[in-house]
């Protein structure tokens, strides 16, 4: 399991455990699974997907470290 935290300037959008996260990286969409290598990446406009949920974003960044995934995002209106 991954610990996922999604934060926007307005609030914490989500905090909890998930199986996987798909994010729109600046070099293309990628999926984060348990035991993913540490990474920091920028995000572009697109859809973040986690456990059947979808969140449209304008951009941001993602950090993965020791099964903890942190997203700092700007949401679409």
């Amino acid at each position: 399991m991954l610990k996922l935290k999604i934060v926007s300037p307005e609030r914490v959008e989500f905090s909890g455990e998930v199986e996987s996260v798909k994010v729109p990286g600046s070099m293309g969409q990628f999926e984060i699974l348990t035991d993913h290598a540490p990474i920091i990446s920028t995000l572009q406009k697109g859809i973040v997907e986690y456990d059947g949920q979808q969140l449209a974003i304008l951009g941001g960044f993602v950090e993965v470290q020791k099964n903890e995934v942190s997203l700092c995002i700007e949401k679409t209106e």
Side-chain angles (χ1 to χ4, degrees):
M1 294 294 277
L2 297 167
K3 291 183 182 177
L4 173 62
K5 187 169 187 177
I6 303 174
V7 179
S8 71
E10 294 81 28
R11 64 176 189 214
V12 174
E13 301 292 334
F14 178 83
S15 182
E17 291 191 342
V18 298
E19 291 288 329
S20 68
V21 184
K22 288 184 185 176
V23 294
S26 54
M27 302 283 276
Q29 185 180 50
F30 64 95
E31 186 171 19
I32 301 161
L33 300 169
T34 303
D35 296 328
H36 194 285
I39 187 174
I40 296 175
S41 176
T42 56
L43 301 175
Q44 63 184 9
K45 183 176 179 179
I47 303 292
V48 174
E49 297 179 46
Y50 56 95
D51 284 2
Q53 303 293 315
Q54 292 188 336
L55 180 64
I57 66 168
L58 292 174
F61 69 89
V62 59
E63 178 181 13
V64 181
Q65 192 170 29
K66 297 181 182 175
N67 291 323
E68 293 188 11
V69 182
S70 300
L71 275 75
C72 182
I73 55 107
E74 184 177 350
K75 282 179 48 177
T76 59
E77 294 303 318

